[in-house]
Amino acid sequence: MKDINTVLEIAEIGEPIAFAVSGGLDSCTITRWLTDRGVKAICFTADLGQPDEKDISHIGDRIRKSGAYSHHFLHLQDHFAEAGLKLIQAQAFYEGGYWNITGIARHIIVKGILEAMTQHKLSILAHGSTGRGNDQIRFQVMAHMLNPEVKLYAPWRDPIYLDKFQGRAEMIDFCQAHGLPIRATKDTPYSTDANLLGITYEGGKLEDLKTPSDFVTPTMGVYPKNAPDKVERFVVRFEQGRPVAINENQVSLLDGFKLANQIGGRNGVGIGVHVVENRIVGLKSRGVYEQPGIDLLSKCYRFLLQLILDRASQKMFDQMASQLGENIYYGLGFDLPSQMGFRAIEPVTNLATGTITVDIYKGHVTFVSAEDVPHSIYTKETTSMENIGSFSHLDSEGLLRILSLSARAKAHSRLTHSW
């Protein structure tokens, strides 16, 4: 199945297209540009709980004023919360502690739009991802994984579009000339992408490494230095890997994320995370991230896993976590290796039951206690330095004799060397 390279090919086909829009500068520019060329753009916006939108309906207003043939919201917050939980359960972060908040969002967006395209009988999916970033790959690969017959169109790889727009400055001039309701200006210091799990900031002045991460004005909380001078206690109850209660109040998964965002954000957890990461295309990219709720919950979950996983299980889990984190970042969350990885950690997830209490202070999350952890392999009786339980120091004598046999054999064979 051949994808579409230019807007002229769409005109030849003569069909309306599905266009994934966020409501920002690119969305408004491309919607109007397509409309001016006679293309009917049926626009879809995924409602993922964007914290930077006070009223998400305004996105629809902006897109319709930009010339969209029609606009539709995809209400996917609950689905997205489930995807965020998969990240926590797999500890699937990417380089530098980035919680894949954009990568996992693209999986949910693409899946949701493809389902909507079936309902609207559309066969062409357009997106506004640039030719330098990760999202163009994610959209293309994920869409073809789920529907190999769908045709993809990316204006940022269309020579006709690029002949008119080389970057943000030309798009802003275009939108202002046509009276389009954009919020971006030439003085905007960075671009943002937001959802329930967090916000990514990149581009603009952040491309200069002399710009500190706290140059960004946070949306979901405060920087640790500005957090209250008071410890806040946080208690979360996990049952089979799911947070079911926070501070002794039952919560749905979606509400749990929202509450963790509030608590973590106001205490500086996961705010201003600076990462210079390796993009899929091979370029380095500097990002500053807000990810308060998922950062807080994942740290609590990690405290729980420490009690459950033995040495060999921990090593295997860490390997799968690293691979899954990379797969999600690359847009490969629907492929067979990712399915294998998520299935492989299910036995661990099923054992992850317990109540974890932490103290939060100026961005730090400190362990306080773990209670009611039925599958914990940690016991005071076997690890205590005091004279309790059935352990005898004399039992170690035989173990050390066996280990010493190997050490002596290596020494005699000159396989050891001091440094």
Side-chain angles (χ1 to χ4, degrees):
M1 177 62 66
K2 183 178 180 296
D3 288 318
I4 294 173
N5 297 318
T6 74
V7 69
L8 297 178
E9 296 176 46
I10 298 177
E12 288 178 6
I13 295 172
E15 296 179 2
I17 66 170
F19 182 28
V21 298
S22 65
L25 175 62
D26 292 71
S27 299
C28 294
T29 303
I30 294 171
T31 299
R32 180 55 187 264
W33 183 80
L34 289 170
T35 301
D36 289 347
R37 277 150 187 78
V39 177
K40 292 181 178 179
I42 299 178
C43 298
F44 296 92
T45 298
D47 175 7
L48 301 180
Q50 294 89 321
D52 62 337
E53 292 285 350
K54 293 182 179 179
D55 186 343
I56 197 171
S57 67
H58 292 167
I59 293 177
D61 296 337
R62 293 197 295 269
I63 294 301
R64 280 187 288 269
K65 289 177 181 178
S66 298
Y69 183 76
S70 64
H71 176 269
H72 308 271
F73 280 108
L74 306 174
H75 299 289
L76 301 172
Q77 286 196 43
D78 286 311
H79 294 293
F80 189 49
E82 292 292 339
L85 180 61
K86 291 177 84 68
L87 292 181
I88 293 175
Q89 291 172 344
Q91 296 288 288
F93 55 83
Y94 190 60
E95 299 174 346
Y98 164 53
W99 273 102
N100 270 315
I101 54 182
T102 300
I104 196 67
R106 298 305 180 251
H107 286 74
I108 302 304
I109 292 171
V110 170
K111 185 174 184 290
I113 288 182
L114 288 177
E115 291 173 353
M117 287 176 66
T118 299
Q119 296 173 4
H120 289 263
K121 298 181 180 179
L122 301 172
S123 63
I124 302 170
L125 171 59
H127 60 83
S129 305
T130 70
R132 292 183 180 178
N134 295 319
D135 281 342
Q136 59 170 339
I137 300 172
R138 292 167 178 156
F139 269 98
Q140 207 94 358
V141 170
M142 286 187 282
H144 284 146
M145 278 188 180
L146 296 179
N147 181 358
E149 302 304 317
V150 70
K151 302 182 186 73
L152 271 293
Y153 170 64
W156 276 109
R157 299 200 302 274
D158 182 340
I160 300 174
Y161 183 85
L162 293 174
D163 187 55
K164 184 171 182 62
F165 304 103
Q166 288 78 49
R168 290 173 59 84
E170 291 82 7
M171 290 193 295
I172 290 171
D173 288 341
F174 175 84
C175 290
Q176 290 176 343
H178 289 80
L180 303 186
I182 59 170
R183 295 183 294 183
T185 68
K186 292 182 180 179
D187 295 327
T188 303
Y190 43 74
S191 64
T192 65
D193 188 278
N195 58 53
L196 171 72
L197 299 182
I199 305 179
T200 66
Y201 302 94
E202 61 182 8
K205 294 184 179 181
L206 292 178
E207 293 175 349
D208 186 345
L209 291 178
K210 294 190 292 292
T211 303
S213 60
D214 63 4
F215 174 77
V216 171
T217 301
T219 299
M220 300 180 73
V222 299
Y223 288 109
K225 64 183 179 182
N226 298 323
D229 294 319
K230 181 181 179 182
V231 171
E232 181 168 355
R233 183 147 292 184
F234 180 80
V235 183
V236 55
R237 173 68 180 176
F238 292 99
E239 291 185 1
Q240 293 188 314
R242 299 180 70 87
V244 297
I246 290 178
N247 294 339
E248 299 183 350
N249 295 312
Q250 299 294 312
V251 292
S252 68
L253 181 59
L254 180 58
D255 288 340
F257 269 117
K258 291 180 178 179
L259 183 55
N261 278 335
Q262 294 174 13
I263 297 172
R266 67 185 177 223
N267 287 285
V269 176
I271 302 293
V273 179
H274 158 84
V275 181
V276 178
E277 67 204 39
N278 289 293
R279 283 183 175 176
I280 306 169
V281 294
L283 302 173
K284 282 283 190 181
S285 172
R286 192 270 181 101
V288 175
Y289 303 110
E290 294 181 42
Q291 45 190 28
I294 192 170
D295 205 42
L296 175 57
L297 290 172
S298 68
K299 286 177 178 175
C300 293
Y301 194 73
R302 200 172 307 146
F303 287 137
L304 180 58
L305 291 184
Q306 288 176 356
L307 303 174
I308 296 167
L309 297 176
D310 59 64
R311 182 191 305 164
S313 300
Q314 184 71 64
K315 184 176 182 180
M316 183 171 288
F317 181 91
D318 289 345
Q319 291 172 346
M320 289 185 292
S322 176
Q323 187 62 59
L324 284 169
E326 188 171 288
N327 284 9
I328 295 295
Y329 186 86
Y330 284 14
L332 301 174
F334 297 132
D335 72 353
L336 182 58
S338 296
Q339 294 177 50
M340 293 168 62
F342 283 121
R343 287 289 183 88
I345 67 165
E346 282 183 6
V348 176
T349 303
N350 292 335
L351 296 173
T353 293
T355 299
I356 300 295
T357 301
V358 297
D359 277 342
I360 314 171
Y361 180 70
K362 290 188 176 295
H364 294 281
V365 180
T366 306
F367 176 84
V368 174
S369 68
E371 300 176 86
D372 191 17
V373 185
H375 304 292
S376 173
I377 57 175
Y378 174 87
T379 63
K380 290 191 297 183
E381 286 73 17
T382 56
T383 59
S384 177
M385 298 296 290
E386 304 301 327
N387 185 24
I388 61 175
S390 60
F391 178 81
S392 170
H393 294 276
L394 297 177
D395 292 340
S396 295
E397 183 63 30
L399 171 65
L400 269 298
R401 287 177 183 172
I402 293 172
L403 295 177
S404 294
L405 289 175
S406 175
R408 289 192 181 98
K410 291 176 182 177
H412 286 307
S413 300
R414 298 180 181 178
L415 299 179
T416 58
H417 182 73
S418 62
W419 43 269

